[in-house]
Amino acid sequence: MDYGEGDAITKHDWTQWLDERAAAGLIRRLTVAGSPQGPRMRIDGRERLAFCSNDYLGLANDPRLAAAMHAGIDRYGVGAGSAHLINGHFESHDRLEVELADWLGVEDARLFSTGYMANLGVVGALVGRGDTVIADRLNHASLIDAVQLSGARLSRYRHNDLADLEARLERASGERMILTDGVFSMDGDVAPLAELVELAERFDAWLVVDEAHAFGVLGQTGRGSFEAAGLVPGERVLRVGTLGKAFGTAGAFVAGGAEPLEVLLQRARTYLFTTAQPPAVAEASRAALAIVRDEAWRRDHLAELVARFRAGVAGLGGLERIASSTPIQPLVVGEADRAVAMADRLDARGLLVPAIRPPTVPAGGSRLRVTLSAAHEVADVDALVSALRECTNIV
Ligand SMILES: *Cc1c(COP(=O)(O)O)cnc(C)c1O
């Protein structure tokens, strides 16, 4: 039984489905954290050294963010109480939008409550039935869902394959939109931005880049993929950033030209029909932005950790490194049960590294997804490398 996408079934046998998932080693389990996000966390009552968060700059538990959020609570209370367009758009939201737009050198930025919702919002507002979205096959799930919900035709090109993309752009009808992750969330590699920009211009297409893993991390000053590639985004480029990753807070934003951002304000359903994020969270994000901008040492330290990790795991048997220079450093193991066995062995040594299995990654592509943070120390990376060495010898 395979309840995959599009199966025509009238009634699910969920007991059987759960049993089959368990037999295939694909059951997911929640763990419970009892301390702040950081390299050393108390999880399910045990101390672990964790390599799995998206808290790339180590800001999730920064005292300056906490102080800003406290001050925001004192000033604005807790809940926003309504959607942005009713009376839930606070000064803190407004200032954050202006500061984000200034930081990125674009005309406008619009806050959303999550990155998932920002993606649904930007795609659904700009394209619909009769249009075509040409999307990288390895895009984040929220981008796939965004296209499906928009009603536009979804045309998926092979990962970073520009010839495939170009052929699909030629065949596309209606408004065209190219949709890609800036940094791919499961592989950690980057999109070929210069070529994507060129194709978008040639075909007069929107180019929407999801910078969830890039803002704060890539580029000399953390402005993401475009800065790293030495490119200035044009009029038809929109960038989505999440605040729950490198910024250490929660929420997301879309940044770009004044007109598309105005269209988002008028039309994005995940903007119109949801409660604004708590205003105090926006105060914390403003404090985060200042740190992202000013503390380049965090990116330098992170780059040093990435290089050390890659050198350390080079040549480890049974693990395939992916060409990634970002803090996402997957080690492809192959089968799901083997990935889980390795994660369990690391766990027994007090190290938390998630095993990522289908359907998040393709069958046979199960992996240990190591993510590094500026909050890690060199000694933490060394501990992980030596534990991996021991585990690969056993499994
Ligand atoms: C995490 C992520 C999102 C979703 O962002 P949230 O704010 O967590 O909802 C969107 N796109 C990509 C590529 C992501 O990694």
Side-chain angles (χ1 to χ4, degrees), residues 54 114-117 119 140 142 181 183 185 210 212-213 242-245 251-252:
N54 305 308
T114 71
Y116 196 117
M117 294 166 73
N119 282 337
H140 190 261
S142 58
D181 282 6
V183 171
S185 50
D210 182 339
H213 301 281
T242 55
L243 298 166
K245 289 173 180 162

